[in-house]
Amino acid sequence: MPRAGLDAAGLVTAGADLADEIGFGNLTMGLLAERVGVRTPSLYKHVDSLDALRHAIANQARREFAEVLARAAVGKSGPEAVRAFADRYRRWALDHPGRYAATVRAPEAGDAEGHQVSGDALQLMYDVLAGFELSGTRAIDAARVLRSSLHGFATLESAGGFGLPQDVTRSYHFLVDTLIAGLAHSAPDDVA
């Protein structure tokens, strides 16, 4: 019989919280069981496997991240939208390192929920970049450049990769301003 108050949604949230503390890759069913105060076999009444738990955490984290980013960009366009998006991206990635790590990998084939959430997030990025009037593969390039730049900076910062005494936030804003300048001067569409 399942323990009162223990359910799949609660385990996913507890797993996400634990992943933020110890790292998404370090998450185990044993550690989660310890966190929620049950024996490991009790978890399997609510979650099929560690892979299923990680999958559910990834989709929940994608939704949470997309909601935060969407709120940051509401009512903004052009450089202002990119700056707001970038600042919230960095803050969320640093505040939720386990959840953030869960969002990085693209959903697997057949993961309808994962593809829907990822598609919504991609559309949000296109919306943020809309003020630069990019289309076609140029819009895809811009989204990839923005995501990989923000991801790289946040990942390095989270890992303690910036040891110089200069202000890291200033460097981040320089990165974002450099991206904006590049976006403002790029061709609106493929010139082939």
Side-chain angles (χ1 to χ4, degrees), residues 5 11 15 20-21 37-38 46 49 53 57 83 91 104 109 132 139 146 154 159 166-167 170 177 183:
L11 288 176
D20 282 342
E21 295 171 27
V38 299
H46 307 284
S49 65
L53 175 67
I57 290 171
R83 285 187 187 96
R91 184 75 268 141
V104 173
F132 296 95
L146 180 61
Q166 286 74 21
D167 182 31
R170 180 184 166 131
D177 288 344
L183 290 167

Side-chain angles (χ1 to χ4, degrees), residues 4-166:
L6 196 62
D7 62 12
L11 288 176
V12 170
T13 298
D17 291 344
L18 183 58
D20 282 342
E21 295 171 27
I22 66 170
F24 187 65
N26 297 323
L27 183 65
T28 67
M29 296 296 269
L31 290 172
L32 180 58
E34 186 178 310
R35 167 61 60 94
V36 298
V38 299
R39 293 174 39 134
T40 303
S42 298
L43 297 179
Y44 293 98
K45 295 175 184 168
H46 307 284
V47 180
D48 291 339
S49 65
L50 179 58
D51 283 343
L53 175 67
R54 287 180 183 210
H55 174 263
I57 290 171
N59 283 339
Q60 176 177 306
R62 286 182 186 114
R63 280 190 304 276
E64 292 172 0
F65 196 23
E67 288 170 14
V68 164
L69 294 173
R71 283 195 306 271
V74 167
K76 298 172 180 72
S77 64
E80 183 184 12
V82 172
R83 285 187 187 96
F85 179 90
D87 285 346
R88 282 310 295 151
Y89 187 107
R90 175 179 174 228
R91 184 75 268 141
W92 196 85
L94 294 174
D95 289 347
H96 303 286
R99 283 174 167 86
Y100 178 71
T103 69
V104 173
R105 187 172 190 160
E108 294 182 17
D111 179 3
E113 179 185 10
H115 283 284
Q116 177 64 48
V117 174
S118 292
D120 292 346
L122 181 59
Q123 184 58 54
L124 172 61
M125 193 164 305
Y126 289 146
D127 293 346
V128 165
L129 293 167
F132 296 95
E133 299 180 9
L134 304 171
S135 62
T137 57
R138 183 63 71 204
I140 294 169
D141 293 342
R144 286 177 174 164
V145 165
L146 180 61
R147 179 182 181 216
S148 60
S149 298
L150 302 183
H151 169 75
F153 197 102
T155 300
L156 284 167
E157 184 177 5
S158 182
F162 299 123
L164 297 175
Q166 286 74 21

